[in-house]
Every structure is written in structure tokens, then in C-alpha cells.
Amino acid sequence: MSSLPRIARALRRTVLQAIPTVIGIVILNFFLLQLAPGDAADAMAAEAGSATEETMAAMRERFGLNLPMLDQLLTYLNNLAHFSLGYSPRYSMPVSDLIGQRLPGTLTLMAMALAIALLIGLTLGSLMAAFAGRLPDRLISIFSLLFYSVPGFWIGLMLIVLFSVTLGWLPSGGSGTIGSDLSGWAGIVDKARYMVLPATSLALFYVAIYARLTRAAMLEVRNQDFVRTAYAKGLSPAVVTVKHILRNALIPITTMAGMHVGGMLGGAVVVETVYSWPGLGRLAFEAVMGRDYTVLLGILLLSSLLVILANAVVDILQTWLDPRIGEL
Amino acid sequence: MNAIVSPAAFTPAPGNGHRLLEVEDLSIRFGASDPVKRLSFSIDRGETLAVVGESGSGKSLTALALMRLLPRNARIPNGSIHFEGTNLLDLKDRQMRAVRGRDIAMIFQEPMTSLNPVATIGAQIVEVLRLHEKLSRKAARQRAIELLDLVKIPDPAQRIDDYPHQLSGGQRQRVMIAIAVACKPKLLIADEPTTALDATIQAQILELLDELRRKLSMGLLLITHDLGLVSRWSDRVVVMYHGDKLEELATADLYAPDRHPYTKGLTQASIRLDEEVHYTAQTLAEVKVARSTDGRNIYDVKPPERRALPIPATDREQLLVVKDLSVTYQGGSKASKALDGASLTLAKGETLGIVGESGSGKSTLSKAIMRLVNSQEGSIVFQGRDISRLGAQQLQPVRRDLQMIFQDPFGSLNPRKTIREILEAPLVVHGVSNAAERRQRLAETFEHVRLPSFVADRYPHEFSGGQRQRIGIARALILRPSLVICDEPVSALDVSIQAQILNLLVELKTSLGLSYLFISHDLAVVQYISDRVIVMKDARIVEESDHRTIWRSPKTDYTRALIAAANDKGGRPLAPRPQLHAAAL
Amino acid sequence: MSTTDLNAPAIALAGARQGAARPEASALPEWHNVRAPDARTTLTAAVTVPPGRRELRIFFSNPNALFGVTFLSIMVLMSIFAPLISPGDPLNMVTTPFLWPGQDAAYPLGTDAMGRDVLAGIVHGSRISLFVGLAATALGLTVGVVVGAVAGYFGGWVDDVLVRIIEIFQTLPNFVLLVVLVAIAQPSALTVTVAIAIVSWPMVARLTRAEFRAIRAKDYVMAARSLGFGCARIIFTEILPNALPPLIVTASVMVASAILMESALSFMGLGDPNVVSWGSMIGSGRELVRTAWYLTALPGLAIVFTVLALNLIGDGLNDALNPRFSEERS
């Protein structure tokens, strides 16, 4: 039986479930925007330096800020439907364009961090499970707990002290050598050099999470009856681990990995500020500093949509891993 | 599939004659305790040896020891396991892996969890063929199809790509058997192979195992708690209790008079459908085991006692009248009926037995009568009053008279409360505010269920399964109800405990004037305790009759099939049971 | 002992205890339906141990957990007695700037760019970290447990609605939402606490709901319902005590993550501007990280060890309370 129809069914279910969530998030966003002190007119007036009451009123009229709440909500929804998240006076450009500029930076950073975290986390977790209760397990377990306890921004700064300031191996901030127009392999290496530290800072916390998760999942699966069946067939421990345990253990791990995408986005905010990485997080930081709520809420909305997208990907992955999902 | 079963494929092992497996002086140790002690037995080629014992007897550990699959924290301090002359305990891990699945194969109790849920059944059979027989992918797949056919999975060429969850429990156990016999093992270990299955399926699986044993001339080690199964399907029996082998005997001698008292107790305590034992005529035998001061076990049998209780009249005052009771579960988009138009009556002092296989709706029926499920239709007239529409407040006084005993003695007691708290809470809820009176009621109830009152301040985990079930009964009785619904009250218990609880329930019924709605999948148990019997299938009541008629002249094919399955399991014709007397050691 | 009227064979059971006796995790599987041996204690010999006592013993025999408890106790004492340990406002300039740790015995951890005592900052900073951590956890836990309990116990449309709300909050990236909330509400100890509670309750609610759903289906709850117990009695005496172990573990981890969130907020300049906090110390030290890296390293270490202590406690609690270890309880 092909798994495509199952995946299609699971995807449809995911999309249907996401609709009320998206609506809820949009409405929440709108109300947060209402709660924010001052409105866009205030902000623009502040930017302009001087504004009379009349020009303020005119601006409010123009942007519909004097309308009743419900009308404003409808305007907001209408704008959203046209992919408009508002206008940032500070950057003098639409918020959506602003976010669009910064999004790739954050996505690259997150993808890199996720890859590092999964790779190291799965490896450490499998090791811990293999040596459960013995010295290697305990040592790795303490280390993973330490990673779990370190604030990302602090480890970021410490890595800068060590690798940029003291050793001078890696750049301390930015996303590429300014003024250089490296291309091809050299360009990639240059980019990578700038990415190593931020991605590592962001990944450490998740290395700990995935390692612990992998350990727990492997131990759980290892006690299942079907693993005993596999041993009773005469399979070697290595084959049992790879063919029977790992695939089953991956199911809860993917769920959790999906649930942490939102957390990683949050982590990116802080890490990007440390490394002046031109991404959404840095934009959020600048927006906070400038009290630019339109931008801030635009980021919140967009990052939520990103999380929903990530959940959909996880659903598909899980359906593919677990034949029991999406059955009629 | 003839290629698989052709006798020519077998080369008899050189030397050693008939002896296939010789276990000598085997002990298994966990920390400071030995759950298996100095066990010796042997199996010949083509023979079926049953190891029978209740929980904690060490029978399953023994099976795992033969496969060298014991948990890492277990040790084998002494003993040997010679298989075709080689001591398996001396083999290197790699050598042992070559034995597993090829020479010795094993099937397990839980077909629902014993197959890898994310791999197709075909892949799981192919895996073992490729490992031991070094077949090509294509050849292995062909053999897998043949094997599925051998274990009687219909449409094997289609089903081979199914995942385990697409198969029923019985079919999954067949797949397990296919994996086990794939490499034509010389010894097949079956650890409680049918315990998790419905009676009708049980018989088919055992028949299949026996047929394969003959076709492939395998030795079969059958591990079970079920004496009926032993007497029908084995050649010899080893009886175990708490790690000790009590005796070894030919199956034909199982009911002979000079047996070990424990064996005797077990054979008498397990009820058989074809013996037509009824509670009005006799009590059930009870096995008693106690520790002597020098640490030895003392075994004792309390033999059945004759008695002549009257069968309650069914035309007396009706305690419970259920009409057209239906329950619908909203499962996602589609609704399914868990109970479909059930109607029944129960007279005062009567025991109404309800039998059915899993999913027949018998548990839903009991919960619906207890008003524990939502979305039900129909009427429930209890003590002359329709309780089906009452709100929680109005139900409160009714609940005092309508109580329930649950199946799982481990899950039915709150682990964080003492027995006193568990038993006093219902009194508090039902307005017995005087502490002295509550103490009095508690003592009285302890007396009823034969528990010493000094255990009141203990927590549930300190009791055995049988004791917990007594506590569960005490909780149901403490409000002095008139009707008790017993939902599989003895299914989770060992045979010896089962007899004690059934005796207790009968005693309580007569002394306290109770009525029972007794639900069980076990026909023999229902036959023993019921005055009238209802048979359920697919959420409906299919047959109802008095306790004699239903077994002797069943009206529906389904009931006949159930009876056949129950008889088939333990249906080897036996000599009339000899009169037994207590053999105190 | 002769045959008693307690007919069960070799009476007592060690079933409930077998988990405790079992080594923490054996390297080879322990199959579910193979029961470890019954210890042959008898009913009369059995000692009554209320549930909880054994867990405490396991917890306190765990060196990691013990370290966590000790370190955290020191931190708590330090925060309570901060005015005594280093009197005066930690934000005041006390001596020459940029004293390195060890340079002046009066200021063992040195001074920052404004001549403020780093040790005083760390001592006083523990107050805001621990206050926010504990208060936000208490608030988040309360809301989460109530919402989760209602959803899990009552089910039906109430559950549907609450699950939707939980889902919305779990979809919003926690830290981004936190930044937005604090930025809108203007940073203060109170707003930071409430904001952290707002972003952390959904996890508790989800967990509580799952626990309540699972326990609600147990036979002993069914029995309580059939005995006519009221909802409140069932929730508080039957379900909640059994749902507590995972919640206790979660609480310790929540305090840890609340402290991390507070420090990150302060680092970004979104902390209470009137009090010194570890995060804000790192924030003001970052500009000087090339020359005076101890200004970021030291408060960071305070965070790391406090959070580590809490996580060690969480792990210890998890090992002690993990229902997997006593099968009967699950």
C-alpha cells in the first residue's frame, strides 16, 4: 500500500486544524496592537519631529485609526489578506518587505542550528541509551544538563571571547566580510565562518534537549515486546538498534523537534542580537528599542505562521515514519 | 509451501537419540532472590512439554533463559541448558544468535505488541529468512508468502505488505508463528501464546501450533497458566510454583489421585465448562500455600464442599429492568454503537451472567447501567424507578444500592490512599458522619471479605492481586448495596485466587442477599456462578436463557461456537473426577 | 507461620517494590510482561510506607540532586540576606572602575565600568532572578493546572475550546511573544513575571490535561464516580494527587526556564530598569567583552549554576517520581 494517500489525508487534517489557530493568532495580534501605547500616527509624528494636532488627525483619518474597533479589525484583516502587515515609519518601508528581507537570514541560521542540534543530539542520545546507567551515560548526561542550563546569549559572548578575541579564529559578528565580493567556494567558506558561532550558540540548548529525548525514546522503545521478537530472531544488537529501535524512536523525536521550532525562533532573537546577525531577531531587537510595535507584531505573526508550517512538515514526516497515522 | 514442510528438508541431528533439550539444575537470579531454583527438565524431538504455573512461578523467565534473552540484571548462577548436546550457556553471543530463530524459535504472549509497528509483516518474516537461510530478497519474499499461507492467513500475496495494525490479534499471532517456524526450528517455545486472545481464536491458534509441530516435527515447549489448555495439547507437564518445580508428569496423569497437592488444587480450582459445576451444588476447591517457619512452602487443598442452595425464582420482584439501552461513541467523524438496544431483567437475589468476547459491548452495558457513560438512550428501571435520566444529585441515593466490582485489581484502587481512606470515603460521601459508626462498618466489611482489620492503614501496593480484589469487593459492599455489577472480577487473577474470590462472592450473595450482574469472557466461570445467562456479540444481546439450557441447547450458532471453543480448549475426555480429600502436609 | 485465612499464596507482593529494587536502567531490556521475582515478605512483616517517603529517600540519595538542593538553598539564603551581605544600593559607584577580580580584596569579583561592585550586583541580582522565577512559575502553574484539569476532566466542548486556546499560545513562539508583551506593557518586575507566566502556562495545561485524561479513565476514578463522589472530590482527592509527580518535575524545570527568560529579557534591555539583574549586568558588560570579559562571564556563571541546580533537582525528582519505576502506579 502506498503511503501517499495517507500523507495527503494527514496533510489535509493538519491544514484544517491550523485554520482556527491562525484565526486566533491573527485576532490576538490585532488586540496586542491595540494595547500597544501610542498608535502609528504618534510614531510617525515622533519620527517627523513635529506635528500639529491637525496633521495628526488627518493621519489618523487616512490610516483609519479613528474608526471603531470592529472596523479597525476588519481593516486589519483586509490588509492581511493583501499580505500587508502595515508600514514602518522608522525604516520607511512596508513591514512585510522589511521582514521579507530579514527572513532568509534567520531561516539559514535556524536550519544550521537545527542540523547541528539534531546531528549531535541524536548521536549523544544514542550513546547515552547504549550505555544507560553506566559512566558514559552519566558524563554525557551531566554535560547535556549543563548545555540545557546555559543562556544562549551568554555562551554566545563567551564563544566570542574565546574564538574571536583570544584565538582570533572566527569573526565576532555580522554575516559576511564587508566589502568583499567573494564568490563560489570562497564565498561559502566566508559565510560559514560567520555562521559557526551563532549557530553553535543557538544549537547548544537543543543539543541537550534532543540528546535527552533520544535517550528516553530509545530506552522506551528498547523495552518493547517487538524488540524482544527481533532478538529472538537471532539479529545482532546493532541490527536491532538500527532496524527496529531507531525508526520507532524517531517518531517521538520528530514530534518534539517540531514543537521546539518556536523556541528556536525565540532563541534566534537573542543570539542574533549578540552576533549582529541580520535576521528577524535583530529586527525584533531594533523594533523593541525603537518601540516600533507594528514591526514587532508583524514578526510575531509571521513567526507563528512559520511554526505552523514547521508543524505541517513534522506531520508529514511522522506520517511517513509511522504507518498507523492517517489510516482510514 | 510444500517446499517448507516437506519432511525431506529435515536432517536428523547425529547421535543423541531423541533428546532435544536437557535443562539441568538451572537457577535464575535477580539480586538476592532466585525466581527459578534448580530446575531440571527435558524435551524430546517432536514432543510437547507444558510448563504450567501461576504468575510469579518463573515459567516465563525459564523460557527467556533458554533463548538467553534474560534481562541484563538477571544471572544464571548454576545449571546447564543442553540443546542437541551443546550447552547453550557456553556459547559465544555470536554463536547463540545463530541458534536463535534458526534452531530455537519463540512466540510471545502479546501479539498486539510483539511485531514492529512500522515494518510490514512481510519485511519482518523476510528478515529472519535472509539472516539464517541467506536467501535472496526475491526468494525470501516468495517463502514469506508461503509461510503466511502455511499459518492460514488468507490472501497471503496481498497481505504480505500489510502493517501489523491492519491485522487482528489472532492474525498477528499467526504472523508471529510464521516468523518462528520460518527456518524450521527444532524447538519452538510458546510463552502463553493465546492468553491475550478470544476463546474462539485461542483454539485455532493452538490447533495451528500442534499441526505445525507434527508437520515440522518440532519439539514444543508450551508455557501457560491454563490447565485446560495443558490437558488438551501437551504430552507431559511440569508444574511450577514460585521458582520450584513441584512435579513432572504425563498429561494423562494430571487428574490422577496421587498428585502433588498444589497440582491437585489447581486442577480442582480451575472450572471446566463440560463439568457443569454450579454454585448451588458445590463450592470450588481452594489451594492454600503458606510458608513454614523453616522457609519451606506448605501446600494444602481445601476440597469442594457439597451444598444445596435454592435457585432464585426469576418471577419474583424485578430489581432491574433495562429496556432498549444503546450507547453511541462519537469517534471522530463517525459515530459507532458500543451498545445496541440491550434489554434485560434481573430479579432480586438472582445472578445474571453476561458472556461475550472482547468488543461485544458487555463492559459498556455495565457502565451504562451504572450511569458512567454519556450519550445513552433507553430506560434503566432500578428498584422501580427509571434512573436513566436522573441528574447527579438525584442519582446519589441510588448509587448506594447499585455498586460495581472492577476487573483490574491493580488499577481499581487509588495508589495514594490507604485502605481505610478508600473504604471510608464512600461512607463520608453518603452521609455517615459519625466516625465510630464508620469504624464499625469498616470492621464489618473487612469481616465480610476475610481481610484482617490490621491491614486498614496500608496502601494498595502492599497487597497481592487477590487481596486487592477483596478490597475492591469491600469498597462495593460497604454501602450495603442490593445490586453489584461484577465486571470481569476474576479475569486478571490466577486460577487459585479465582476460586477463592468466586467462593467469596457466592457466600456474600447468600449472606447479604445480594444480586449480581456478572460479566465475563470465561464461559466456565459464568456457568458456575450464574442463574441466568445472556450472550452478547457486536454490541447486541444475541441469546438469553437459564443456566442449564443455554449450555445444553444453545439457540444461536454464535453461542455454539463459543461453547465449542471453550470445550475444545480443555475438552480431552477425562475419567470421572475422583473424590478428593484434603492432603495437608 | 501456618495457613492463615488470607488465602493468597505467599501473601505479600513485592510487585510495587520491584521497581525500586531494580537498578536504574539495565543495559539490556527489561520486558514488560516478565515480572521480576516476588520478594517473599509476608503481610505481617510488611512495613507500611506511605507513598512519597520512598520517593524522598531516592531523591536524597542522588548526589546530583543533593548538589542542586544545596546550591539552590545557598542562592535563596543569599537573596534573602542580600542587604546584609552587601549593604547599600548595588547600582552605586563604590570605587575605581575596571578592577579585575582578585585585584582588590575588598571587591573580590572586581568592579565594572562605572565602578560598581560586581559581587554586590550578583548578590542583589539573585533576588530578581529567583523572585521572577518562583512567582512566574507559581502563576503559570496555577493557571495551567486549572485550565488543564478542567479540559481533561470535563472533556467535550469545554475541552475543545481550551485545547484551541492552548494550541494558539503554543504556536506563538514563546520568546517572541514574551518580548512583545513586555515591550507593550513596559518592563517592570511585575510585568516580566506576568508575561513569563503567560508564555509558560500552556505547557502545564497541556501536561495536566493529558494526565487528567489518562487518570480519569482509570478504574479507581470510575469507582469513585460509581460511588457518587462529587466532581471536586474526584478531582482533588482521586486525580490530582496522582497527577502531581510529573507536575512537580515540570515546576522545577519551569523555574529554571523562567530564570533564563528573565535574564534574556534583561540582557535585551527589557528588564526592570530600577533593579540590578544578572541579565542586565551581562547586557551592560557586553560592550566591553573584548577588554573586561569578566563583567559578562561572572553574572553568566551565576545564571548557569542556578539554572543547573534547578535542572539537577528536576532530574532527581523525575528519577524519584517517575511512574515507570512503580508499575502499579501508572
Side-chain angles (χ1 to χ4, degrees):
Chain A
M1 170 195 116
S2 163
S3 53
L4 275 176
R6 284 195 302 116
I7 290 178
R9 268 196 297 277
L11 191 62
R12 206 187 57 175
R13 197 196 54 217
T14 308
V15 170
L16 284 180
Q17 276 178 348
I19 290 171
T21 312
V22 172
I23 294 172
I25 287 171
V26 166
I27 291 175
L28 196 74
N29 246 281
F30 171 75
F31 282 111
L32 282 173
L33 204 55
Q34 295 291 318
L35 281 175
D39 56 26
D42 287 322
M44 274 182 246
E47 287 289 314
S50 68
T52 59
E53 282 297 315
E54 290 88 72
T55 52
M56 294 273 285
M59 263 196 284
R60 292 207 163 91
E61 183 79 39
R62 208 179 112 213
F63 290 108
L65 298 173
N66 53 351
L67 295 171
M69 187 91 98
L70 192 65
D71 287 346
Q72 289 200 38
L73 176 60
L74 289 178
T75 317
Y76 180 75
L77 290 178
N78 187 35
N79 284 341
L80 278 186
H82 295 88
F83 301 105
S84 163
L85 290 170
Y87 186 82
S88 165
R90 220 174 105 90
Y91 293 90
S92 356
M93 64 194 299
V95 172
S96 44
D97 290 3
L98 200 52
I99 293 177
Q101 272 179 11
R102 301 294 192 95
L103 191 60
T106 299
L107 288 182
T108 331
L109 182 64
M110 279 176 62
M112 182 84 167
L114 191 67
I116 295 176
L118 278 175
L119 197 72
I120 303 180
L122 280 171
T123 314
L124 289 184
S126 309
L127 274 175
M128 282 156 87
F131 292 97
R134 286 184 280 160
L135 191 66
D137 175 32
R138 282 174 202 201
L139 282 181
I140 302 175
S141 153
I142 298 227
F143 265 97
S144 75
L145 209 57
L146 194 66
F147 290 170
Y148 193 62
S149 310
V150 172
F153 60 91
W154 182 74
I155 198 68
L157 289 168
M158 292 298 108
L159 290 177
I160 290 176
V161 170
L162 183 63
F163 289 101
S164 314
V165 181
T166 313
L167 297 171
W169 290 355
L170 292 164
S172 68
S175 65
T177 311
I178 297 162
S180 77
D181 47 353
L182 295 163
S183 57
W185 184 242
I188 293 172
V189 170
D190 183 63
K191 280 253 184 287
R193 272 167 46 81
Y194 278 87
M195 211 176 342
V196 173
L197 288 186
T200 309
S201 311
L202 185 54
L204 272 191
F205 183 74
Y206 297 94
V207 166
I209 289 184
Y210 296 148
R212 290 160 67 85
L213 207 66
T214 306
R215 177 186 189 270
M218 302 264 292
L219 288 182
E220 166 86 33
V221 174
R222 210 171 67 172
N223 283 347
Q224 305 275 321
D225 290 341
F226 66 80
V227 175
R228 181 172 55 182
T229 308
Y231 279 115
K233 285 177 180 174
L235 297 171
S236 68
V239 175
V240 173
T241 304
V242 173
K243 281 185 70 177
H244 292 271
I245 300 181
L246 199 59
R247 179 144 180 214
N248 280 281
L250 276 177
I251 296 170
I253 294 171
T254 25
T255 317
M256 294 299 284
M259 282 178 74
H260 284 295
V261 168
M264 201 171 250
L265 251 163
V269 172
V270 197
V271 168
E272 284 180 12
T273 64
V274 172
Y275 289 96
S276 322
W277 182 268
L280 277 187
R282 175 129 191 100
L283 182 64
F285 180 69
E286 289 159 4
V288 169
M289 290 299 123
R291 297 291 186 260
D292 194 339
Y293 299 106
T294 334
V295 172
L296 207 50
L297 282 156
I299 293 173
L300 182 62
L301 184 66
L302 201 95
S303 52
S304 308
L305 297 182
L306 215 57
V307 171
I308 290 177
L309 202 67
N311 288 342
V313 172
V314 166
D315 275 356
I316 293 173
L317 212 57
Q318 281 211 302
T319 315
W320 175 68
L321 279 173
D322 188 344
R324 290 164 292 186
I325 298 176
E327 280 289 309
L328 280 176
Chain B
M1 85 231 77
N2 291 329
I4 300 171
V5 298
S6 102
F10 291 92
T11 44
N16 287 349
H18 296 297
R19 189 56 39 97
L20 183 63
L21 180 84
E22 181 92 54
V23 175
E24 273 175 305
D25 215 18
L26 181 75
S27 296
I28 300 174
R29 182 164 295 169
F30 279 86
S33 68
D34 288 7
V36 173
K37 291 182 281 287
R38 301 199 167 274
L39 177 68
S40 302
F41 64 87
S42 64
I43 301 176
D44 288 344
R45 289 174 200 285
E47 176 193 44
T48 301
L49 174 75
V51 172
V52 67
E54 298 181 298
S55 48
S57 63
K59 55 189 193 307
S60 289
L61 284 174
T62 307
L64 289 177
L66 299 187
M67 293 289 276
R68 290 218 353 226
L69 283 175
L70 285 171
R72 179 61 68 87
N73 55 345
R75 289 196 307 116
I76 298 183
N78 53 274
S80 64
I81 302 167
H82 280 94
F83 178 75
E84 297 196 306
T86 315
N87 186 357
L88 296 181
L89 298 178
D90 292 339
L91 292 184
K92 292 198 172 62
D93 281 351
R94 204 172 43 78
Q95 295 169 311
M96 188 62 214
R97 286 205 293 275
V99 173
R100 281 185 208 137
R102 194 189 66 190
D103 298 323
I104 310 180
M106 185 164 176
I107 55 175
F108 302 96
Q109 177 174 352
E110 286 293 339
M112 305 312 268
T113 53
S114 290
L115 290 169
N116 187 343
V118 302
T120 62
I121 57 171
Q124 299 187 53
I125 302 174
V126 163
E127 189 176 30
V128 69
L129 288 168
R130 291 191 32 98
L131 178 73
H132 292 299
E133 312 257 298
K134 312 281 180 236
L135 292 184
S136 71
R137 238 168 245 291
K138 216 176 145 201
R141 187 180 162 89
Q142 191 51 43
R143 280 281 289 280
I145 294 174
E146 291 168 9
L147 281 161
L148 286 176
D149 191 45
L150 179 69
V151 298
K152 303 188 172 73
I153 297 262
D155 246 343
Q158 261 76 56
R159 304 307 297 269
I160 189 168
D161 292 321
D162 277 2
Y163 288 94
H165 70 269
Q166 292 166 297
L167 274 59
S168 70
Q171 284 175 327
R172 289 189 217 188
Q173 199 61 304
R174 286 172 192 274
V175 172
M176 279 298 291
I177 295 173
I179 293 172
V181 301
C183 303
K184 297 165 232 155
K186 296 173 182 120
L187 175 64
L188 178 63
I189 304 171
D191 183 5
E192 302 270 13
T194 58
T195 308
L197 303 172
D198 277 331
T200 44
I201 314 291
Q202 277 187 12
Q204 296 166 12
I205 293 289
L206 285 163
E207 221 149 87
L208 173 65
L209 277 176
D210 201 52
E211 181 188 325
L212 289 174
R213 175 187 63 83
R214 277 181 278 112
K215 273 190 190 168
L216 306 175
S217 56
M218 295 183 296
L220 179 62
L221 177 60
L222 183 62
I223 293 188
T224 182
H225 69 282
D226 191 332
L227 279 171
L229 201 141
V230 168
S231 60
R232 172 90 156 88
W233 299 104
S234 70
D235 301 312
R236 284 184 306 123
V237 186
V238 166
V239 181
M240 289 183 72
Y241 178 83
H242 266 269
D244 294 317
K245 173 173 147 183
L246 298 184
E247 67 177 332
E248 182 175 334
L249 60 154
T251 304
D253 297 338
L254 202 55
Y255 292 90
D258 56 343
R259 295 273 62 95
H260 188 282
Y262 179 74
T263 314
K264 217 183 283 179
L266 278 191
T267 50
Q268 291 181 35
S270 42
I271 326 167
R272 296 158 43 100
L273 191 63
D274 52 8
E275 288 178 343
E276 300 205 345
V277 184
H278 198 245
Y279 80 95
T280 49
Q282 67 169 82
T283 63
L284 295 172
E286 292 183 15
V287 194
K288 298 182 176 192
V289 185
R291 299 275 279 178
S292 71
T293 40
D294 60 351
R296 284 175 40 245
N297 287 331
I298 299 171
Y299 302 90
D300 191 6
V301 186
K302 188 176 161 200
E305 287 164 15
R306 302 234 162 265
R307 66 179 165 203
L309 297 174
I311 291 182
T314 51
D315 49 0
R316 283 208 305 191
E317 181 191 342
Q318 295 298 327
L319 187 62
L320 178 72
V321 180
V322 174
K323 268 214 182 72
D324 290 327
L325 192 59
S326 295
V327 175
T328 314
Y329 281 133
Q330 219 67 39
S333 51
K334 55 180 178 211
S336 60
K337 285 223 158 160
L339 186 64
D340 192 0
S343 301
L344 58 88
T345 62
L346 177 66
K348 224 177 169 138
E350 192 184 23
T351 299
L352 177 62
I354 300 178
V355 286
E357 297 191 287
S358 47
S360 62
K362 54 193 195 306
S363 271
T364 307
L365 173 62
S366 70
K367 293 200 173 84
I369 294 172
M370 290 296 296
R371 291 288 319 277
L372 291 174
V373 285
N374 299 321
S375 65
Q376 59 185 46
E377 297 162 59
S379 73
I380 307 162
V381 178
F382 177 64
Q383 292 175 331
R385 182 175 179 208
D386 188 352
I387 61 165
S388 61
R389 305 265 174 277
L390 297 186
Q393 288 294 321
Q394 300 154 298
L395 262 180
Q396 190 77 353
V398 178
R399 295 218 178 272
R400 183 194 289 262
D401 288 319
L402 182 58
Q403 277 303 311
M404 184 153 176
I405 300 169
F406 296 84
Q407 168 176 2
D408 179 9
F410 292 92
S412 65
L413 301 175
N414 186 341
R416 298 198 174 264
K417 286 172 139 192
T418 64
I419 306 311
R420 182 187 304 284
E421 287 164 348
I422 288 171
L423 294 182
E424 281 196 359
L427 294 175
V428 173
V429 168
H430 286 273
V432 182
S433 49
N434 182 335
E437 189 186 339
R438 286 205 300 267
R439 256 200 308 282
Q440 169 62 31
R441 288 275 283 271
L442 205 68
E444 181 186 295
T445 309
F446 269 130
E447 185 76 14
H448 285 149
V449 299
R450 313 271 187 281
L451 276 176
S453 52
F454 65 79
V455 300
D457 292 309
R458 300 210 172 144
Y459 289 88
H461 67 252
E462 295 174 71
F463 296 87
S464 69
Q467 289 164 345
R468 289 190 207 200
Q469 200 55 299
R470 284 169 195 269
I471 296 164
I473 296 172
R475 175 178 53 197
L477 293 183
I478 200 155
L479 292 174
R480 297 173 180 155
S482 50
L483 173 60
V484 179
I485 297 180
C486 311
D487 188 359
E488 303 263 12
V490 294
S491 307
L493 303 175
D494 280 326
V495 182
S496 56
I497 315 290
Q498 175 177 312
Q500 295 166 12
I501 297 290
L502 289 175
N503 282 342
L504 178 68
L505 285 174
V506 171
E507 238 172 83
L508 290 170
K509 177 184 167 180
T510 36
S511 62
L512 302 178
L514 301 173
S515 310
Y516 289 141
L517 196 67
F518 193 99
I519 294 160
S520 179
H521 70 281
D522 189 332
L523 271 66
V525 167
V526 169
Q527 182 195 42
Y528 174 74
I529 205 158
S530 311
D531 300 311
R532 238 165 4 104
V533 178
I534 279 175
V535 180
M536 289 191 74
K537 180 183 194 284
D538 299 337
R540 291 173 154 279
I541 293 177
V542 293
E543 183 160 0
E544 186 197 330
S545 214
D546 69 80
H547 81 99
R548 262 179 224 291
T549 321
I550 194 138
W551 314 118
R552 289 185 181 166
S553 41
K555 289 192 285 269
T556 61
D557 287 343
Y558 181 67
T559 311
R560 267 191 287 277
L562 279 183
I563 294 172
N567 278 330
D568 207 21
K569 200 179 68 177
R572 175 174 290 186
L574 291 160
R577 246 187 203 192
Q579 199 60 42
L580 294 159
H581 26 258
L585 281 187
Chain C
M1 196 181 110
S2 66
T3 311
T4 63
D5 60 345
L6 278 163
N7 302 318
I11 292 151
L13 79 150
R17 293 297 156 77
Q18 55 182 255
R22 206 181 277 171
E24 187 182 342
S26 68
L28 248 197
E30 292 179 42
W31 317 118
H32 287 311
N33 42 27
V34 175
R35 307 258 163 214
D38 275 9
R40 304 292 204 74
T41 47
T42 59
L43 247 191
T44 41
V47 183
T48 301
V49 183
R53 194 77 49 81
R54 181 176 64 90
E55 284 85 345
L56 270 182
R57 208 174 46 233
I58 296 177
F59 179 75
F60 281 109
S61 62
N62 177 343
N64 288 351
L66 223 50
F67 169 82
V69 170
T70 314
F71 188 87
L72 195 68
S73 314
I74 293 172
M75 276 295 165
V76 170
L77 288 177
M78 189 171 96
S79 67
I80 292 172
F81 297 109
L84 296 176
I85 299 170
S86 59
D89 190 339
L91 293 173
N92 283 346
M93 175 165 172
V94 286
T95 182
T96 36
F98 294 121
L99 281 178
W100 274 69
Q103 217 174 346
D104 183 340
Y107 307 99
L109 297 184
T111 55
D112 71 1
M114 321 249 288
R116 294 177 297 207
D117 184 2
V118 173
L119 178 65
I122 289 178
V123 169
H124 284 264
S126 67
R127 304 190 109 183
I128 186 81
S129 284
L130 289 175
F131 168 78
V132 171
L134 293 172
T137 300
L139 195 61
L141 206 59
T142 313
V143 175
V145 167
V146 170
V147 172
V150 168
Y153 184 79
F154 292 102
W157 68 268
V158 180
D159 185 41
D160 290 343
V161 170
L162 291 177
V163 164
R164 282 274 154 248
I165 295 175
I166 293 171
E167 187 131 302
I168 288 170
F169 273 88
Q170 286 214 312
T171 304
L172 292 159
N174 271 358
F175 192 73
V176 182
L177 177 62
L178 184 64
V179 166
V180 169
L181 287 174
V182 175
I184 287 176
Q186 306 305 332
S188 75
L190 182 72
T191 53
V192 168
T193 305
V194 173
I196 292 179
I198 288 177
V199 302
S200 45
W201 72 268
M203 185 189 59
V204 185
R206 200 179 198 121
L207 177 71
T208 312
R209 174 178 175 272
E211 284 291 317
F212 265 63
R213 277 170 74 92
I215 298 173
R216 192 179 190 276
K218 298 235 180 262
D219 275 353
Y220 59 80
V221 175
M222 203 65 90
R225 288 171 61 205
S226 69
L227 286 161
F229 288 15
C231 290
R233 184 181 278 272
I234 292 178
I235 288 177
F236 288 107
T237 73
E238 304 291 329
I239 302 182
L240 195 56
N242 289 293
L244 273 184
L247 288 175
I248 293 171
V249 174
T250 305
S252 70
V253 177
M254 273 176 82
V255 179
S257 70
I259 290 177
L260 283 178
M261 283 194 260
E262 190 278 333
S263 70
L265 279 177
S266 301
F267 171 75
M268 288 181 72
L270 283 171
D272 193 322
N274 303 315
V275 289
V276 61
S277 107
W278 295 337
S280 64
M281 288 172 78
I282 299 175
S284 54
R286 71 176 283 206
E287 306 301 332
L288 310 157
V289 76
R290 289 170 180 277
T291 48
W293 55 267
Y294 66 93
L295 290 177
T296 44
L298 292 172
L301 284 176
I303 300 175
V304 170
F305 279 102
T306 310
V307 173
L308 181 65
L310 281 159
N311 284 329
L312 286 172
I313 293 174
D315 260 21
L317 286 172
N318 193 37
D319 287 348
L321 301 172
N322 189 348
R324 209 169 296 276
F325 281 90
S326 46
E327 281 154 32
E328 275 68 41
R329 192 153 299 161
S330 57

